[in-house]
Amino acid sequence: MKTNFLKRTWLRLVRRPGQTVIHLGLFTVVTTLMLSGLMIQATATKTVESAQRDVGAIVSMAFDIDGYVEKQNIQSEAVGQSGGQLDADATVLNLDDLEALCADSIAMSCNYASETGAFPTNSMQLFDPSGKPVDDGDLSAALFQVEGVRNLEGVSAFRNGDARIIDGVGLSPESGDQEIVIDKRLAEQNALAVGDSVQLFVGQLARDGGMLDDTPHEFTIAGIYESGLPDAPPGSPPVMQPANQIYASLGAVGVLLGADGDAVKQATFTLADPDDVKLLGEKAAEVGIDTDVFPLILNDKQYRQLVGPIEQTAAFATVIVWASLAAGCIILGLVVTSSLRSRRREVGVLLSLGESKPRVLGQQFLELVTCAVVSVAIAVGVGQLVAPVIGSVFLSSQVAAAQSGPSQAEQDYGDINGGATQVERVDPIDELSISLDPAAIGLVGGAAVGITAVSIALPGIRLARQHPRDILTTGV
């Protein structure tokens, strides 16, 4: 009977070519779409993971007045006291704590800043577009903006290419305690070069409006940068002139900050994975940083711009896979049911001759599995041609939609200035190198067998309840 069972299956496939072609065609369409979807999905996932490692995500840490007040209120209620004044030390980050956190392997890179001002001396006067000496009658505006940074490349202007070092070197964790970097226009107007020494006063005012400290501090010009920012309009206070922006090492700005030299106002960390923000918060708590007062703010806008369209493509591929699976079960189920109805005489005779119902259904299953196996082989060849086309068309439409969307200025949390600057816009990934994944072939093959089993099971339940005579007279 086993030989007859296999022989009947083969004869049915050969002598009923029309029905065989229908089954084979349906399976080929379903498996090709499923394989194409899985190939697109797998490639998109790998591309996103690669982009995630390359771009990372920027996390900002800075003082949050709301978090501080809320915590103070909770503590005051616990001891039955009213909230007190804002403690200045509570608004800044400790440099040693940040260095310990930065040393952790979870952060790809880190940067932090302290801001202050500095009054000019004869060795370096304030820049003025007209070239005339600046009237320093109002000391509150007649000063340099000094920004202490751990790494100059972490400043958004340098990271985005809007500013660049044209002579000397930038600032890094290895920079000395007296190193500064100045604008090209400021250097030219004061006839300064890399390696020159200049003096600056602490940019803090006394109560009488004069300088708080008239002791000059000496600094060394480590580098000169060129900025794309134009000069401020005539009449603007010197502090508003972009050329009067000085970048200093943390040690140098610490000299200008006096006792607060080890205090940092804002820090940024670049993570390999945006999901590591929670882990970074745990590490911050371990080194003594209160993340309720200094919350971590994730800025993954650049990452989302880069991988947004490809993630949409992966989601579309997932829809293709599930839709193909569902459609395959429904359509093949209807086809098998119709096939059994047309074969009621054959089924009834076989059962009358003593053939078991499981073997009759097994013949049907074997016929469909044979078609499924052949269709998977066809899909392997066709899918490698179809998948790149489907993926490319949909990805192109998503990229076009992303690029045509409005570009809104928003806070760049990667900027240690904390200013509301335009986040660097990056071009999204617009190409997929789709390749055949052996695992996808196995999944499609398994899905094809599963579709066959589901398609056979529904009419098989009805067949199991009927007698051969009923099948011959009324049908399956």
Side-chain angles (χ1 to χ4, degrees), residues 311-332:
E311 287 183 333
Q312 292 292 329
T313 303
F316 173 69
T318 302
V319 172
I320 290 178
V321 172
W322 286 107
S324 301
L325 187 63
C329 290
I330 295 172
I331 295 174
L332 282 169

Side-chain angles (χ1 to χ4, degrees), residues 19-220:
Q19 196 171 57
T20 301
V21 169
I22 291 174
H23 291 164
L24 184 61
L26 288 173
F27 269 116
T28 300
V29 172
V30 171
T31 54
T32 299
L33 289 176
M34 287 187 64
L35 184 60
S36 298
L38 290 172
M39 289 168 64
I40 295 171
Q41 193 179 51
T43 302
T45 301
K46 292 178 181 178
T47 305
V48 168
E49 291 175 352
S50 176
Q52 195 175 68
R53 291 191 297 270
D54 293 341
V55 177
I58 296 175
V59 178
S60 172
M61 177 185 289
F63 177 73
D64 178 26
I65 183 64
D66 293 332
Y68 177 81
V69 171
E70 182 178 354
K71 186 161 187 176
Q72 287 296 107
N73 289 339
I74 293 175
Q75 293 177 345
S76 298
E77 291 174 0
V79 297
Q81 299 178 352
S82 59
Q85 295 182 344
L86 178 65
D87 184 359
D89 292 337
T91 66
V92 294
L93 291 157
N94 182 270
L95 182 60
D96 292 335
D97 292 342
L98 289 174
E99 287 289 358
L101 184 58
C102 187
D104 196 284
S105 59
I106 188 176
M108 295 171 58
S109 63
C110 53
N111 202 15
Y112 20 89
S114 291
E115 297 176 359
T116 187
F119 292 117
T121 63
N122 290 332
S123 62
M124 188 167 70
Q125 295 289 333
L126 290 163
F127 170 81
D128 186 271
S130 65
K132 300 178 181 179
V134 175
D135 181 9
D136 57 359
D138 182 11
L139 289 179
S140 64
L143 75 169
F144 295 104
Q145 283 187 322
V146 182
E147 185 173 349
V149 296
R150 183 177 188 271
N151 188 350
L152 191 60
E153 293 181 356
V155 179
S156 63
F158 289 87
R159 190 177 67 248
N160 301 345
D162 296 331
R164 61 188 181 91
I165 296 292
I166 59 173
D167 193 12
V169 296
L171 300 171
S172 68
E174 291 75 32
S175 296
D177 289 345
Q178 285 78 37
E179 293 187 12
I180 62 174
V181 173
I182 65 175
D183 189 279
K184 174 185 175 182
R185 291 164 289 187
L186 180 64
E188 291 177 345
Q189 194 167 93
N190 286 275
L192 296 172
V194 172
D196 290 348
S197 295
V198 296
Q199 292 182 329
L200 295 171
F201 293 113
V202 173
Q204 298 179 16
L205 296 175
R207 292 186 176 182
D208 60 2
M211 289 190 299
L212 182 65
D213 182 0
D214 59 0
T215 302
H217 299 279
E218 188 168 300
F219 302 94
T220 302

